[in-house]
Amino acid sequence: MTSPTTPAGKRVLSVRDLTVTFQSERGPVEAVRGVDLDLYAGRTLALVGESGSGKSATATSIIGLLPPGARARGEVLLDGQELLGLDDRRMSAVRGRRVGMVFQDPLSALTPIFAVGRQVADAVRVHSKVSKQAAWRRAVELLDLVGIPRPQLRARDFPHQFSGGMRQRVVIALAIANDPDLIIADEPTTALDVTVQAQILEVLEVAKAETGAAVLLITHDLGVVAGHADEVAVMYAGRVVERAEVGELFATPAMPYTLGLLGSVPSPEATRRLPLVPIEGEPPAPSQRPAGCPFAPRCPLVRDDCRDKEPALTEIRQRHDVACVRAADVLGRRPEDVFARAEEPAVAPAPAAGPVLRVNGLGRTFPVTKGAVLRRRVGTLQAVSGVSFSIRAGETFCLVGESGSGKTTTLLEILRLRPPESGTVEVLGVDVAGLLPAPERRRLRQAVQIVMQDPQGALDPRLPVFELLAEPLRAAGYAAEATRDRVVEVLDLVGLPRDSLDRFPAAFSGGQRQRLTIARALATKPRLLVLDEPVSALDVSVQASVLNLLARLKSQLGLAYLVVAHDLAVVRHIADRIAVMYLGHIVETGGAEELFAQPRHPYTRALLSAVPIPDPERERSRERIVLRGEQRSAANLPAGCVFADRCQLRPTLATDLQELCGTRRPLLEQSGGTTVACHAV
Amino acid sequence: MTATLPTGSLDGPLDAPPGARVDVPPPLRLGRLRLYARRFARNRSAVVGVIIFVLLVAYSVLGGLFTPWDWSRQDFLALTQPPSGSHWFGTNQGGNDIYAQSVHGLQRSLVIALSVSVLTIVIAAVVGAGAAYLGGRVERWALALIHFLLVVPSFLILALVSNRVSGDWRVLIPLLTVFGWMFTARVIWSVSTSLRERDYVLLAEFMGVSRWRIVLRHIIPHLGALLIVNFTLGIVSTVLAETSLSFLGFGVKTPDVSLGSLLADGSGTITSAPWLFAFPAGLLVLLTVSVTLIGDGLRDALDPTSMVGGRA
């Protein structure tokens, strides 16, 4: 790490007193209020904050891409050149040439109708007078640099022929095409899987080293920050509330909000499962920020003078600025000292034995068709094959894997309560494939409920809360009076105020909406709750309180959870047992403790090592396994091990074992603390 | 980020300032209809639309009481007279009082237009949304029927059939309905196919809600804006369809009159006797404008994300 007093390189960008105002129905809303930033060549500044904190608005105003109706004031100097107020033509000369951009969604950042090589070559030609051939050569060079295999050939392919991670590499190639002085990366890995995220972050490092540019990294993931930032600015309610070198910030945060953020992230390395330390409440909406410090309503250290005046960003140590009057009291304290840790839920009384859910050899295929008019079946997508597990009451079982690994398909197959394509599904000991009388089927229906990832999509926006909560009860045949009582009961259970009953879902914040969907799922007193990425759509500070709620409900009601999640830190925090899925197969399963402590399968190991740890020192010093390539399509499964093509272990094996990996699919076998499907362990 | 900003201000989209309802626990919640009514009442132009519409209805029902003339009676002493004290809207070539005829014509047109629009929308919504959600064989047959009706020369059939029944205006209602619902149904079907993929539809299935209930509760309400716009447009187009039929001599026939046949009559003498055209046309404009304003207001009131409803 560089010495804190003299940052390496020259100052590339300086932002002073940047204010961004959006027009809304309720009058102007200030999304960004007086932000100062400095970026130096060859260094990465991470802008961290929750949704609505103004981090993206800051980035878009720097590159002049604010939507119409928004106004930016202040000063943005790129090498001494004022960028604010430049007309579009002059701004275009800056964008792409001197500032490169990487956005969250690589699909919409590329034009679908041109080959990627052409797009990169065009980016080169827009800003410098070179021949077409020279630009093409440069494009191939750039694609090679960002790690696209066989760039000569791949340059002629179109964006849809690339996977998400490969597309993001192309976007990075576009961003560095003209050797920019500044790269702005807005949530560059949020849409990607963890193993791919690790690759892309490496590529971004390469891009930075190659161009010597300053990088503005916008993210909500503290693990990414810990691994890849030099400096961090934490934003809250449109302002920078704390700014420091990355090591300093993680070691000694001085603002209660930063401290709270660090406390609410479950650590993938935690050994004992304590309730998380949540920050109470939710970030204020831009239109109704309180007077004084915007964090005051959620702050456990709040004093009267916090509510009078918003504190200015002041230097409390070398290169460590904080906007908090209590900074001196925060320094050196741990999150759990400052924020009240939720009470540890009492261990549930062991409910009746016997599994709530038993899945045996579950399989599901989808036809792959071609042609729009005459559909021909050209193949079979083996989404899930031979998945078996069982869940007891009071137990949390997690399915882990990247997108496309068949987790969600497995869930849907279970929830459908119809005879599966192959295998059996038993709920409460009853095989759903059997001919069941209607009341029995209804009982099973009520016993299994689901909470979906996106609470916004899961709640019909047209129905008020009462109707939403009453719906499952009416379907279950509750009478009007009983429905009313139960609705109020579940509302209390998830900790929402009773006066929310005639509000619409839009009136609630993300965390409250997720509480609503949980309340809805609990209405019919289920035995098994299926949670599909229950917190991934929520802000970090809100995640913690929802996870604590789930833990409390589980022990209070003796529920069983079947959780699908990609965030291993979250999984580590809630799971009792885990199954790791790859291409529709369970490759390793076992108790959470054993699996995290001693992963056996090479994929599990890679997956665990790809999870960023929110601690800069450990994150930078540990050895990590970065997998090659990406998950192949489930339409053509290999004859051997499904993971063989990416396996980091295989090249080190004896040739006959390598041969075996390619020809015979391994079966799940007990090995050490877990059950693994791998020839080599 | 910009997209998330508006939602930030959705704190109290319902009404009263926060806390106003806190200390009145007994009615646990407002009825949904009352909630919508409040939101609707906050929209001034919609209220104006309702007022105009109510006045038009009152006029069509009660307007006849204020004039000694009956719509079918002829005043042979006043042929093609401009508006005067005894004939408020003037008279036509046959000496009919235009005021009395407008009252009667508006009544006919209102009844025909409203009932056809309502029936059309209901059929279109149920068939379109039902086909989209239920899928499979239901969907295939419904689409086949829709497409068949779309290619049938409906106007010709309408003309022939209404001629055969010799201009009974009541027959126009089922006729216009039968040949009027499929286009809307087709649009509703294509919109609903995306709705059936929504998470909350899937959730309702997992909760054991019956399939038709899902169509009625989760799919059709989401088409609210579309339905209301089509309903308003339907009123206008029904009046126009009836006008064209009447103009060709197939629809409402003399001696019976409708707004359409009055317009058709008046259009011939628009320079020499403009009042024959002006008064029915004015009524038609008022009718369509008021229905459109009501439609806009309803759409905003029913749409939970509408800022208009939340702010005013």
Side-chain angles (χ1 to χ4, degrees):
Chain A
M1 217 169 281
T2 47
S3 112
T5 42
T6 51
K10 68 178 172 80
R11 184 158 72 185
V12 175
L13 182 85
S14 111
V15 176
R16 288 287 170 274
D17 199 25
L18 178 72
T19 303
V20 180
T21 318
F22 287 95
Q23 293 303 326
S24 81
E25 293 271 352
R26 301 191 172 196
V29 166
E30 288 196 330
V32 178
R33 304 174 300 142
V35 163
D36 298 347
L37 296 172
D38 286 296
L39 276 90
Y40 298 92
R43 285 170 64 82
T44 302
L45 171 71
L47 211 50
V48 188
E50 299 178 284
S51 54
S53 62
K55 53 190 196 308
S56 294
T58 305
T60 41
S61 59
I62 290 173
I63 47 177
L65 289 178
L66 283 173
R71 250 167 50 83
R73 278 170 291 126
E75 194 181 78
V76 176
L77 294 176
L78 181 68
D79 265 350
Q81 186 197 2
E82 174 64 63
L83 295 186
L84 284 189
L86 280 190
D87 60 45
D88 200 48
R89 198 171 51 83
R90 303 233 300 279
M91 195 66 217
S92 301
V94 174
R95 281 196 296 259
R97 169 80 193 81
R98 308 198 48 204
V99 182
M101 289 150 288
V102 180
F103 295 110
Q104 175 173 351
D105 180 6
L107 187 55
S108 53
L110 295 171
T111 314
I113 54 166
F114 292 124
V116 295
R118 159 114 193 251
Q119 294 188 45
V120 179
D122 281 353
V124 173
R125 273 163 56 81
V126 166
H127 295 288
S128 53
K129 283 196 162 51
V130 292
S131 70
K132 273 196 170 170
Q133 288 78 9
W136 182 265
R137 278 197 301 276
R138 173 93 179 115
V140 172
E141 244 174 67
L142 285 165
L143 292 176
D144 189 32
L145 182 73
V146 295
I148 290 183
R150 291 172 294 128
Q152 291 280 6
L153 295 170
R154 294 292 271 162
R156 287 176 212 287
D157 284 348
F158 289 83
H160 70 266
Q161 291 165 299
F162 289 84
S163 64
M166 283 296 156
R167 273 187 217 127
Q168 195 63 300
R169 287 171 193 259
V170 175
V171 173
I172 293 174
L174 273 173
I176 61 171
N178 289 293
D179 196 7
D181 302 324
L182 171 66
I183 299 172
I184 297 179
D186 190 351
E187 303 270 7
T189 57
T190 307
L192 305 171
D193 284 318
V194 257
T195 60
V196 182
Q197 165 174 306
Q199 297 170 0
I200 293 297
L201 289 171
E202 301 274 301
V203 173
L204 212 52
E205 292 282 331
V206 170
K208 185 174 83 169
E210 185 73 12
T211 58
V215 177
L216 179 61
L217 176 69
I218 295 163
T219 181
H220 67 276
D221 188 333
L222 291 169
V224 171
V225 173
H228 295 270
D230 299 304
E231 251 190 304
V232 188
V234 181
M235 284 191 78
Y236 189 78
R239 297 194 54 184
V240 173
V241 292
E242 180 158 14
R243 186 171 56 198
E245 296 277 338
V246 65
E248 165 96 4
L249 188 98
F250 278 85
T252 53
M255 164 84 192
Y257 175 63
T258 317
L259 193 66
L261 271 188
L262 292 173
S264 45
V265 185
S267 166
E269 294 191 322
T271 43
R272 205 164 86 79
R273 230 183 309 156
L274 289 169
L276 296 170
V277 183
I279 306 177
E280 290 303 319
E282 314 227 352
S287 57
Q288 40 187 305
R289 293 194 183 110
C293 174
F295 188 61
R298 304 173 72 189
C299 184
L301 296 177
V302 67
R303 269 193 329 219
D304 285 346
D305 52 340
C306 293
R307 297 201 174 89
D308 301 338
K309 200 166 113 289
E310 200 166 352
L313 200 62
T314 44
E315 192 163 48
I316 54 155
R317 290 208 226 177
Q318 257 187 347
R319 302 190 50 72
H320 189 162
D321 306 336
V322 179
C324 180
V325 292
R326 310 265 335 237
D329 304 328
V330 180
L331 270 177
R333 288 174 74 178
R334 305 291 317 148
E336 55 269 29
D337 307 334
V338 173
F339 290 84
R341 195 187 275 277
E343 269 182 37
E344 219 166 324
V347 178
V356 177
L357 175 76
R358 191 203 296 271
V359 176
N360 203 354
L362 183 72
R364 175 84 163 111
T365 59
F366 295 99
V368 181
T369 55
K370 211 173 181 179
V373 186
L374 290 172
R375 290 219 172 170
R376 298 175 284 127
R377 188 174 172 133
V378 294
T380 303
L381 193 89
Q382 190 75 39
V384 176
S385 21
V387 165
S388 309
F389 57 87
S390 69
I391 307 175
R392 284 188 306 278
E395 187 180 46
T396 303
F397 186 80
C398 279
L399 287 175
V400 179
E402 297 174 284
S403 49
S405 61
K407 305 171 304 221
T408 305
T409 311
T410 309
L411 290 194
L412 294 181
E413 281 303 300
I414 294 166
L415 282 160
R416 228 178 282 282
L417 296 185
R418 302 249 173 78
E421 200 177 293
S422 59
T424 57
V425 175
E426 280 175 35
V427 177
L428 301 176
V430 182
D431 190 343
V432 298
L435 279 171
L436 298 177
E440 177 73 0
R441 196 158 275 283
R442 202 194 266 172
R443 189 176 71 91
L444 293 188
R445 190 36 94 210
Q446 290 170 28
V448 185
Q449 288 294 319
I450 181 174
V451 173
M452 288 196 180
Q453 172 176 15
D454 174 18
Q456 177 133 31
L459 298 169
D460 189 337
R462 262 158 222 273
L463 297 178
V465 168
F466 180 86
E467 297 290 324
L468 286 170
L469 295 180
E471 181 165 44
L473 295 167
R474 291 194 188 126
Y478 276 58
E481 192 61 27
T483 302
R484 213 185 107 121
D485 294 346
R486 182 68 187 154
V487 164
V488 177
E489 215 172 289
V490 288
L491 208 59
D492 291 345
L493 206 57
V494 298
L496 283 174
R498 288 191 185 186
D499 65 346
S500 20
L501 280 180
D502 47 353
R503 293 177 156 226
F504 288 97
F508 296 88
S509 64
Q512 288 172 322
R513 274 186 223 153
Q514 196 59 302
R515 279 167 193 267
L516 268 181
T517 59
I518 294 172
R520 216 170 162 222
L522 290 177
T524 54
K525 303 184 180 167
R527 303 281 306 279
L528 171 71
L529 210 54
V530 175
L531 303 154
D532 186 3
E533 299 276 8
V535 294
S536 71
L538 304 178
D539 278 322
V540 185
S541 73
V542 180
Q543 264 187 21
S545 64
V546 171
L547 288 176
N548 284 345
L549 171 71
L550 287 172
R552 178 169 64 79
L553 290 173
K554 188 177 92 164
S555 57
Q556 201 173 329
L557 307 173
L559 294 169
Y561 287 158
L562 169 57
V563 184
V564 154
H566 72 276
D567 186 339
L568 288 167
V570 168
V571 171
R572 175 88 184 93
H573 183 74
I574 57 177
D576 296 316
R577 284 192 304 128
I578 297 176
V580 181
M581 287 187 76
Y582 191 83
L583 271 183
H585 294 71
I586 291 182
V587 294
E588 180 164 8
T589 175
E593 303 292 328
E594 294 82 28
L595 199 125
F596 270 90
Q598 271 204 317
R600 313 276 304 174
H601 196 279
Y603 177 65
T604 316
R605 279 189 230 162
L607 204 58
L608 290 181
S609 109
V611 184
I613 301 172
D615 179 341
E617 260 175 58
R618 287 218 315 285
E619 172 71 10
R620 281 164 205 233
S621 57
R622 76 193 172 124
E623 213 174 300
R624 60 152 38 111
I625 308 162
V626 176
L627 286 181
R628 287 166 302 152
E630 290 173 39
Q631 191 169 257
R632 64 198 294 165
S633 157
N636 50 346
L637 289 185
C641 172
V642 284
F643 185 60
D645 58 331
R646 291 176 79 194
C647 186
Q648 74 275 22
L649 202 60
R650 193 176 173 209
T652 66
L653 299 176
T655 38
D656 56 330
L657 206 53
Q658 283 199 33
E659 180 75 23
L660 193 64
C661 291
T663 49
R664 223 181 66 208
R665 205 168 288 170
L667 299 172
L668 278 169
E669 275 167 43
Q670 185 80 27
S671 155
T674 60
T675 310
V676 191
C678 179
H679 293 304
V681 292
Chain B
M1 170 137 316
T2 51
T4 63
L5 273 174
T7 54
S9 46
L10 274 171
D11 50 48
L14 303 188
D15 38 30
R21 250 186 357 253
V22 172
D23 44 1
V24 245
L28 206 50
R29 61 203 185 87
L30 290 172
R32 196 141 47 108
L33 285 179
R34 265 184 60 202
L35 222 84
Y36 291 147
R38 278 199 195 183
R39 287 161 69 93
F40 184 82
R42 273 196 296 262
N43 189 338
R44 197 166 299 158
S45 56
V47 175
V48 170
V50 171
I51 292 170
I52 298 178
F53 188 74
V54 168
L55 287 178
L56 282 174
V57 171
Y59 171 78
S60 73
V61 176
L62 307 171
L65 302 177
F66 303 114
T67 175
W69 299 99
D70 183 63
W71 62 275
S72 54
R73 199 171 122 208
Q74 289 166 297
D75 182 358
F76 294 109
L77 297 173
L79 301 177
T80 327
Q81 290 296 308
S84 65
S86 62
H87 297 287
W88 295 346
F89 287 3
T91 57
N92 66 5
Q93 298 89 327
N96 295 94
D97 183 70
I98 297 298
Y99 176 85
Q101 286 212 318
S102 323
V103 169
H104 183 75
L106 181 63
Q107 195 181 332
R108 279 278 174 281
S109 294
L110 265 179
V111 171
I112 295 175
L114 282 180
S115 42
V116 169
S117 290
V118 169
L119 286 173
T120 307
I121 282 297
V122 170
I123 295 176
V126 172
V127 174
Y133 177 67
L134 299 174
R137 198 178 302 164
V138 178
E139 185 173 25
R140 272 203 303 282
W141 280 105
L143 283 182
L145 179 67
I146 288 171
H147 291 157
F148 171 73
L149 282 176
L150 276 173
V151 296
V152 162
S154 53
F155 195 81
L156 213 61
I157 297 179
L158 269 177
L160 289 173
V161 176
S162 74
N163 200 30
R164 167 97 20 118
V165 297
S166 62
D168 185 342
W169 66 275
R170 275 163 303 197
V171 180
L172 276 178
I173 294 175
L175 272 183
L176 287 172
T177 307
V178 165
F179 293 104
W181 63 272
M182 61 280 177
F183 193 75
T184 317
R186 176 70 224 242
V187 174
I188 288 172
W189 169 78
S190 63
V191 175
S192 314
T193 44
S194 74
L195 287 176
R196 73 175 167 205
E197 311 287 326
R198 296 272 171 96
D199 278 356
Y200 52 76
V201 173
L202 200 62
L203 268 179
E205 257 174 68
F206 290 152
M207 285 172 180
V209 181
S210 77
R211 309 210 327 143
W212 274 107
R213 223 181 146 73
I214 291 176
V215 172
L216 292 180
R217 264 175 84 84
H218 291 296
I219 303 222
I220 291 184
H222 278 266
L223 306 165
L226 182 72
L227 296 181
I228 286 164
V229 170
N230 269 301
F231 173 71
T232 30
L233 291 179
I235 289 187
V236 181
S237 69
T238 313
V239 171
L240 293 180
E242 178 255 320
T243 310
S244 11
L245 280 174
S246 307
F247 185 81
L248 292 171
F250 295 123
V252 174
K253 288 185 177 174
T254 45
D256 203 353
V257 290
S258 73
L259 226 42
S261 66
L262 282 176
L263 282 174
D265 286 349
S267 62
T269 56
I270 194 155
T271 46
S272 57
W275 59 89
L276 292 184
F277 186 78
F279 288 106
L283 286 175
L284 181 61
V285 169
L286 281 180
L287 174 63
T288 50
V289 166
S290 65
V291 174
T292 310
L293 290 179
I294 295 172
D296 277 351
L298 278 177
R299 192 190 55 210
D300 287 337
L302 301 184
D303 183 355
T305 57
S306 162
M307 292 321 274
V308 186
R311 188 177 47 133

